[in-house]
Amino acid sequence: MRRSTPLAVLLCAAAAAASSKKKQKKKPVNVLWLLVDDLRPQLGAYGQRETQTPRLDALAREGVVFERAYCQLSVCAPSRNSFMTGRRPDSLRVYNFVDHFRSTTPDAIALPEFFRSKGYVTLGAGKTYQPGKPPLYDEGRSWSGELPYLHLTKNLTRCAERHPSSNKFLDVCPTEGSDQDFMDRRTADYSIEAMSIARSKKKPFFVACGLYRPHLRWHVPKRFYDLYGPSNIRAPRRTRQVPVDMPDVAWANEGCHTMTTREHGTKKVVLHRPLPVQMQRDLVRGYMACVSWVDQLSGEVLDALDGAGGKADTIVLLSSDHGFHLGEQASWTKHTLFEHSARVPFVIRAPGIKPGRTRAPVELIDIYRTLADLAHLSKVPEDVQGSSLVPVLRDTHSQIRNFSLTQYPRCPRDWSKMWDANCKRLSAKDIPVMGYSLRVPGWRFTEWYRWERDPRAPIFEGGPPRGRVAAPIATELYALPETAEDDFDAFERRNVAAHADAACALRGLREALLELLACQHGASARDRA
């Protein structure tokens, strides 16, 4: 005969379960974001031993290093709009320095705004958003205001010295004087103060430390230049020329038409004539000096965090907005769809996560859901397209996707020289060419399309292009080394798109790219991709 369970017993069991759930409620977790401008993976932790980055290398040893992290559009403003909202540029319709997500998608909830809505103190300094995109660094919505947002002050980031012959400012600019004369020093100090203020209020914090270097010009205290001599400066050798059979549209000197040093004067950056080797070494030294400066400042911020017990209750993220060419492919800029422009450093240290390394492909749009997941925050907005990387953090052999997607517009002044282009000040409807680059293990596949579309409508809506976008105007396919990712002189030396033995790979990658572009919009885009 079946026995019935007394109601009182059921009620007690339910109360016990509720009590247990209450006890298991997660403690709030803080976030410190070291967001560095124009930083490619030029760190010891990524095999670049000539670069002196002891503090960030130490962070990497304590966290998980993502070896294959990529931006979604390789220039500052649209990249930052993308990862701050967790949405792809085509979804936001932000491609340059004209639009921003508050103008194109005003209902979007930015990442710091989301944390603020969950009771966090959210404070930021320096270059988090691109200045003006959105206006005033989104004050009033993204930042909680316990400390006024520290705006990027341009006159603290510029070299004052000009070359006597060309009258152009020097790009390599070691400077004597007080560290307080540099914007990044103030940004680091602000970040330390912001964490202290948040702790005094007994609230969890989200602090974004937006460091401006190594963005040009390479103007930092001289002692960081003194770290580097001729023996530890390398200029590219195998990749100093543009790739064999590269279409002109793939190359760029946008933003860096000339480079200037004290010893070599001002030289034009042109398609088929690399800069003199010794000048290249001087320029690389400038970039590395800036990376070492950022390393020291990041270390000081981390010391302040850890000194207050931050290892136990704070997620630390190190990332960039895009990469940078240091003479590879004869370029000295971002603005391309090559590996050096798209790839970024990406390190996460978080309570309960074991140190490690992973080759899983990840994208900057994954930051949003990852930080929310690590902080145990629910109800992430549906339109956030990135994925949480927590499964990869817990098992570094796993992956959430097998690709990354980066895009870049081209607006040629002269269609016979398609590389001579600048889309920064054009509205989305006026952009004539868009390139998309699919990075998968072993390959980078890129196609450039004549972009005839209504900027209010999704590109490739309903499947492959039928009248909305013309046939590709250029195709690139590069076989990339799987075992030499720390050899920055090994990438994209020959475009093999026209090679018969690559036809099968090209066909499959083109189909995959078109399918991905067709499904990248809407609330279900994350699952469909």
Side-chain angles (χ1 to χ4, degrees):
M1 179 174 149
R2 185 177 175 185
R3 289 183 167 182
S4 61
T5 305
L7 179 60
V9 173
L10 290 174
L11 291 174
C12 287
S19 173
S20 173
K21 282 186 179 178
K22 190 173 182 181
K23 287 178 183 175
Q24 292 173 5
K25 187 177 179 182
K26 303 286 188 181
K27 267 188 74 174
V29 183
N30 305 310
V31 175
L32 170 62
W33 189 354
L34 301 171
L35 175 52
V36 187
D37 203 9
D38 278 26
L39 180 63
R40 71 189 209 166
Q42 192 71 37
L43 308 172
Y46 283 85
Q48 307 311 298
R49 303 301 179 193
E50 70 277 13
T51 312
Q52 297 191 37
T53 52
R55 304 309 307 274
L56 292 177
D57 294 346
L59 173 67
R61 288 192 296 272
E62 296 174 340
V64 174
V65 177
F66 289 80
E67 296 180 355
R68 293 183 178 177
Y70 297 90
C71 69
Q72 276 48 79
L73 201 151
S74 48
V75 73
C76 311
S79 179
R80 290 164 185 266
N81 273 252
S82 174
F83 62 66
M84 282 293 197
T85 58
R87 298 176 64 175
R88 296 189 184 279
D90 277 345
S91 177
L92 287 178
R93 304 186 303 280
V94 174
Y95 307 105
N96 51 25
F97 292 75
V98 174
D99 301 307
H100 54 84
F101 73 92
R102 291 294 183 212
S103 63
T104 64
T105 50
D107 294 334
I109 298 174
L111 177 57
E113 181 183 13
F114 174 72
F115 271 79
R116 184 183 179 187
S117 73
K118 300 296 184 179
Y120 275 64
V121 171
T122 57
L123 298 172
K127 194 171 179 182
T128 54
Y129 296 105
Q130 175 72 22
K133 306 296 175 188
L136 298 175
Y137 300 89
D138 207 39
E139 286 184 283
R141 291 191 65 171
S142 283
W143 314 107
S144 54
E146 289 82 358
L147 196 60
Y149 189 95
L150 182 65
H151 290 217
L152 181 67
T153 305
K154 284 288 186 179
N155 65 359
L156 294 178
T157 66
R158 290 177 175 160
C159 177
E161 186 177 351
R162 295 176 183 266
H163 195 274
S165 298
S166 65
N167 201 37
K168 287 187 175 291
F169 287 110
L170 299 183
D171 291 303
V172 174
C173 190
T175 305
E176 302 279 10
S178 169
D179 286 4
Q180 289 298 322
D181 293 338
F182 294 87
M183 181 67 211
D184 287 335
R185 169 76 273 167
R186 300 186 187 188
T187 297
D189 291 345
Y190 174 103
S191 302
I192 293 168
E193 183 182 2
M195 293 187 292
S196 176
I197 286 174
R199 287 196 184 278
S200 72
K201 294 185 176 298
K202 309 297 184 187
K203 282 186 171 184
F205 62 76
F206 179 106
V207 170
C209 176
L211 298 166
Y212 187 64
R213 293 290 174 249
H215 192 289
L216 279 167
R217 296 178 176 91
W218 295 321
H219 171 224
V220 295
K222 180 178 178 296
R223 66 183 184 277
F224 294 95
Y225 276 85
D226 294 341
L227 295 173
Y228 299 99
S231 62
N232 55 0
I233 300 294
R234 293 183 296 178
R237 291 185 303 104
R238 289 167 289 167
T239 60
R240 66 188 302 264
Q241 301 280 354
V242 298
V244 176
D245 295 328
M246 178 201 78
D248 283 2
V249 70
W251 193 77
N253 63 358
E254 184 179 334
C256 299
H257 293 89
T258 64
M259 300 297 286
T260 303
T261 67
R262 186 179 291 112
E263 291 76 13
H264 296 88
T266 298
K267 304 286 186 186
K268 287 184 178 180
V269 178
V270 294
L271 181 60
H272 293 296
R273 190 171 69 245
L275 296 177
V277 171
Q278 189 52 54
M279 184 178 188
Q280 290 191 46
R281 290 197 180 104
D282 290 348
L283 293 167
V284 171
R285 182 185 179 213
Y287 186 93
M288 289 167 59
C290 290
V291 175
S292 292
W293 162 242
V294 164
D295 178 77
Q296 174 177 299
L297 296 175
S298 299
E300 292 178 23
V301 176
L302 289 168
D303 284 346
L305 171 71
D306 295 348
K311 281 189 180 180
D313 66 5
T314 304
I315 304 156
V316 177
L317 168 63
L318 167 68
S319 68
S320 179
D321 49 357
H322 46 71
F324 198 86
H325 290 263
L326 292 177
E328 299 89 2
Q329 291 79 44
S331 189
W332 292 89
T333 186
K334 45 259 190 182
H335 308 293
T336 77
L337 290 175
F338 292 121
E339 187 80 358
H340 286 303
S341 189
R343 188 179 173 209
V344 297
F346 197 93
V347 178
I348 294 177
R349 187 188 81 181
I353 299 297
K354 295 179 180 178
R357 303 181 74 89
T358 177
R359 302 178 79 191
V362 301
E363 301 179 306
L364 291 183
I365 57 169
D366 297 329
I367 289 172
Y368 200 127
R369 289 187 182 274
T370 301
L371 292 181
D373 197 356
L374 286 170
H376 319 301
L377 302 181
S378 60
K379 299 183 179 178
V380 172
E382 278 294 316
D383 58 12
V384 173
Q385 294 173 310
S387 298
S388 171
L389 300 177
V390 169
V392 182
L393 289 167
R394 299 200 184 282
D395 176 7
T396 53
H397 298 291
S398 66
Q399 62 182 32
I400 56 170
R401 66 171 73 82
N402 66 350
F403 69 89
S404 68
L405 178 67
T406 305
Q407 65 186 97
Y408 201 83
R410 283 281 186 264
C411 304
R413 298 181 179 90
D414 177 350
W415 285 79
S416 67
K417 297 187 294 184
M418 294 189 67
W419 53 268
D420 186 14
N422 193 325
C423 297
K424 285 183 180 179
R425 306 301 174 191
L426 293 180
S427 63
K429 66 181 176 62
D430 296 321
I431 293 172
V433 175
M434 185 67 74
Y436 294 91
S437 190
L438 192 63
R439 175 67 159 100
V440 299
W443 299 98
R444 178 171 290 283
F445 171 73
T446 302
E447 285 205 309
W448 298 87
Y449 298 95
R450 184 68 181 264
W451 216 33
E452 298 165 352
R453 78 184 202 103
D454 178 351
R456 295 168 296 177
I459 192 170
F460 298 118
E461 185 175 32
R466 295 185 181 91
R468 190 179 297 278
V469 176
I473 61 174
T475 301
E476 300 169 78
L477 181 64
Y478 301 98
L480 300 183
E482 284 294 292
T483 57
E485 285 181 304
D486 60 350
D487 182 358
F488 285 9
D489 199 21
F491 292 101
E492 292 140 335
R493 296 165 62 189
R494 179 181 295 272
N495 176 19
V496 298
H499 292 205
D501 56 359
C504 182
L506 184 135
R507 185 168 56 250
L509 288 167
R510 175 177 286 146
E511 290 174 0
L513 175 61
L514 294 180
E515 177 63 23
L516 175 59
L517 294 178
C519 73
Q520 67 170 319
H521 301 281
S524 63
R526 184 166 50 93
D527 296 328
R528 292 176 66 195

